[in-house]
Amino acid sequence: MRLTQWTDYSLRVLMYCAATESRPTPPTISEIAQAHGISRSHLTKIAMTLAANGWLETTRGRGGGLRLLKPADQIVLGTVVRQTETDFNLVECFDASLNTCRLDGLCLLKRTLKEAMAQYLAVLDGVTLADLVTPGQPPLGGQVISFAPRA
């Protein structure tokens, strides 16, 4: 099981916002893009999607940026992954319209992978954004990033 880049970046944005929520000024898309080495335009699209899903508030202009709309302990990873991933079909036989496997119905792979996916999502359903970050601490695995207010 592998997350798409879109979901990975979505989680990074949410985690960054959670880690910096105690700052007087919110992080900007440019700041997050630079911190992660991600295209600013790509992150803008992601931020708009996260805002549309009710996780982020975006404010334009001077002093603007991104803030979580809900407390980090109310944003469940399983929900974010389900809403940002586009395809949970791990193998061809998960989609009847594409399935050409001659073993379909004879093997247990499909059932086993569906169970694994259910367990995977169940674990993510037990984790919130707050479980993943320590507010005020660098969100990039120890890489030093200044969380001091910008002038």
Side-chain angles (χ1 to χ4, degrees):
M1 290 173 231
R2 183 178 181 145
L3 297 177
T4 60
Q5 193 177 59
W6 184 273
T7 299
D8 178 20
Y9 292 171
S10 295
L11 291 171
R12 290 187 203 195
V13 168
L14 292 171
M15 290 170 59
Y16 199 101
C17 290
T20 59
E21 68 185 345
S22 62
R23 257 180 23 184
T25 58
T28 63
I29 289 173
S30 293
E31 175 186 337
I32 298 170
Q34 182 179 6
H36 290 287
I38 301 170
S39 157
R40 185 184 182 289
S41 63
H42 193 56
L43 275 189
T44 299
K45 293 174 192 172
I46 288 170
M48 293 295 106
T49 300
L50 294 173
N53 283 325
W55 294 309
L56 281 184
E57 172 185 38
T58 62
T59 308
R60 297 176 77 162
R62 187 172 181 85
L66 308 173
R67 291 220 186 265
L68 296 178
L69 268 177
K70 298 179 183 179
D73 65 354
Q74 292 180 18
I75 299 175
V76 177
L77 242 57
T79 303
V80 175
V81 168
R82 282 181 186 88
Q83 298 224 352
T84 57
E85 280 296 306
T86 57
D87 185 7
F88 285 98
N89 292 330
L90 297 177
V91 289
E92 179 184 310
C93 60
F94 275 34
D95 185 342
S97 67
L98 300 175
N99 189 12
T100 60
C101 180
R102 294 176 188 233
L103 296 174
D104 192 31
L106 301 173
C107 78
L108 299 177
L109 178 63
K110 185 180 195 175
R111 185 179 82 190
T112 302
L113 290 176
K114 282 188 181 213
E115 282 179 36
M117 178 64 75
Q119 290 294 326
Y120 172 72
L121 292 170
V123 168
L124 295 181
D125 286 338
V127 179
T128 67
L129 199 55
D131 297 326
L132 301 177
V133 298
T134 304
Q137 296 297 313
L140 295 176
Q143 182 178 348
V144 178
I145 294 177
S146 172
F147 289 110
R150 294 178 301 236

